[in-house]
Amino acid sequence: MWQHICEQISSSLGARFDCDKPTQLKGDSEQQIYLLENPQYQFFVKLASKGQHQRFESEVLGLEHLRVASAIYIPQVISCGVVAQKSYLVLEYLPFVKPDEKDWRSFGQQLAKLHQFEPQPMYGWQEDNYIGLSVQPNQWHKKWATFFAEQRIGYQLQLLKEKGHELANIDSIIAKVKELLHNHQPKASLLHGDLWQGNLGFILHQSCLFDPACYYGDRETDLAMSELFGQLPMPFYQGYNDIWPVDEGYEYRKSIYQLYHILNHALLFGGNYLASAHTLIVNLDA
């Protein structure tokens, strides 16, 4: 397997790449992470089951779109494929450093510019992709309230119901979210889609994004996610507002957008996320 991956890296580089022993960095039952290196090169390799190949392909597509659109650094895709009943994704290895306040402010400014890049007339994506390990439907739609209520909140509630967790009447919650977002029709911005501290880093003084769940939607969803699992440093938000201040009503919509990610975590991990999801659903009527 590793010989095949090294051969694919060599083909991409146009130069021979050999590695005696991969170093495992981390992993779980779904995915393992390795470092492949020799004196000249270092690469970051994700391994998963053969059935996860489409998820890696979707990640490649998202990275390619972010690379075209943004001043934010996006890791280069080296190779993606299937070998020995394993799917793999090879990316350039990035040595992250600790950022300072100026770096965070610059990242906020760069994200705002990403969100301003060639907005689309509709909400969605050219294919369904993934948020973590969960399928993320992305059928194009003209109305943001309908798109988010049905393809984000409603879809996650249905997946949870099929898993034995019926948190609420799905049709009622979809209707409530449509009502709450009815008058909000934002520009359809290119989104990272899963923006939290674990999916970003800094190389020297340059911000970097990876592990996207891209689609075109309300830019506020990225900002809401950035506040969910440990808010990013304040200079990031100050930098964002330097370029494109958030719209009136963001604080009100934030919890609706965060509900999507809490539902997904409830689906994947259960536990306290189920209780958190229930609380947010109850608060929709507050």
Side-chain angles (χ1 to χ4, degrees):
M1 178 183 71
W2 289 110
Q3 181 180 351
H4 173 86
I5 292 175
C6 287
E7 288 173 354
Q8 295 304 306
I9 293 173
S10 297
S11 177
S12 179
L13 292 176
R16 185 173 180 81
F17 174 80
D18 292 307
C19 177
D20 292 333
K21 185 179 180 180
T23 302
Q24 186 165 3
L25 302 179
K26 61 179 180 177
D28 52 36
S29 60
E30 300 293 339
Q31 179 174 275
Q32 297 80 50
I33 306 297
Y34 290 88
L35 170 66
L36 278 182
E37 62 181 338
N38 66 18
Q40 289 77 40
Y41 299 101
Q42 290 182 308
F43 298 105
F44 185 83
V45 183
K46 298 183 180 183
L47 285 184
S49 66
K50 183 178 180 180
Q52 294 294 320
H53 178 60
Q54 186 175 357
R55 181 167 64 89
F56 285 161
E57 290 283 4
S58 293
E59 182 175 342
V60 169
L61 181 64
L63 291 170
E64 289 174 346
H65 274 74
L66 291 173
R67 178 184 294 277
V68 170
S70 180
I72 301 172
Y73 193 89
I74 307 300
Q76 181 181 356
V77 176
I78 306 301
S79 183
C80 183
V82 176
V83 60
Q85 300 303 308
K86 290 284 189 180
S87 56
Y88 66 88
L89 173 60
V90 183
L91 304 170
E92 66 172 309
Y93 181 82
L94 300 176
F96 291 144
V97 299
K98 185 176 181 180
D100 59 24
E101 288 191 3
K102 287 183 63 177
D103 296 335
W104 281 110
R105 191 175 195 113
S106 177
F107 174 43
Q109 294 169 342
Q110 291 165 349
L111 184 69
K113 292 175 182 177
L114 166 65
H115 287 161
Q116 290 176 332
F117 180 82
E118 293 184 355
Q120 297 295 305
M122 299 178 73
Y123 307 101
W125 193 241
Q126 59 202 70
E127 64 178 25
D128 293 346
N129 53 15
Y130 295 82
I131 177 73
L133 296 175
S134 303
V135 172
Q136 180 170 258
N138 291 310
Q139 184 177 354
W140 293 105
H141 208 286
K142 292 181 179 180
K143 293 184 178 180
W144 171 245
T146 301
F147 175 88
F148 194 81
E150 294 181 355
Q151 297 193 58
R152 293 295 179 263
I153 303 302
Y155 183 76
Q156 284 285 329
L157 287 171
Q158 181 61 38
L159 292 179
L160 280 160
K161 181 179 179 180
E162 292 171 3
K163 203 171 180 180
H165 304 294
E166 189 167 3
L167 300 181
N169 181 280
I170 296 175
D171 290 339
S172 296
I173 297 303
I174 288 175
K176 185 63 178 180
V177 172
K178 286 181 181 179
E179 175 189 339
L180 293 172
L181 296 177
H182 176 70
N183 293 320
H184 187 56
Q185 186 73 359
K187 292 181 180 179
S189 297
L190 175 59
L191 307 175
H192 177 276
D194 195 10
L195 187 66
W196 69 290
Q197 291 223 29
N199 289 340
L200 64 93
F202 293 82
I203 46 175
L204 297 178
H205 295 288
Q206 174 65 59
S207 57
C208 173
L209 287 175
F210 45 91
D211 287 349
C214 291
Y215 65 100
Y216 286 93
D218 185 0
R219 66 195 176 106
E220 292 177 356
T221 60
D222 269 353
L223 297 176
M225 177 59 172
S226 77
E227 296 188 53
L228 183 55
F229 300 117
Q231 188 180 54
L232 300 185
M234 192 53 61
F236 162 78
Y237 301 99
Q238 294 168 344
Y240 189 96
N241 283 288
D242 287 344
I243 303 299
W244 193 3
V246 295
D247 297 327
E248 183 179 356
Y250 165 66
E251 289 297 325
Y252 165 79
R253 291 183 291 272
K254 179 169 66 176
S255 62
I256 303 173
Y257 295 156
Q258 290 176 341
L259 173 59
Y260 173 53
H261 296 285
I262 292 296
L263 288 171
N264 186 50
H265 277 65
L267 178 69
L268 295 175
F269 308 116
N272 291 334
Y273 291 115
L274 288 166
S276 297
H278 183 263
T279 298
L280 285 173
I281 289 170
V282 170
N283 287 342
L284 290 177
D285 287 316

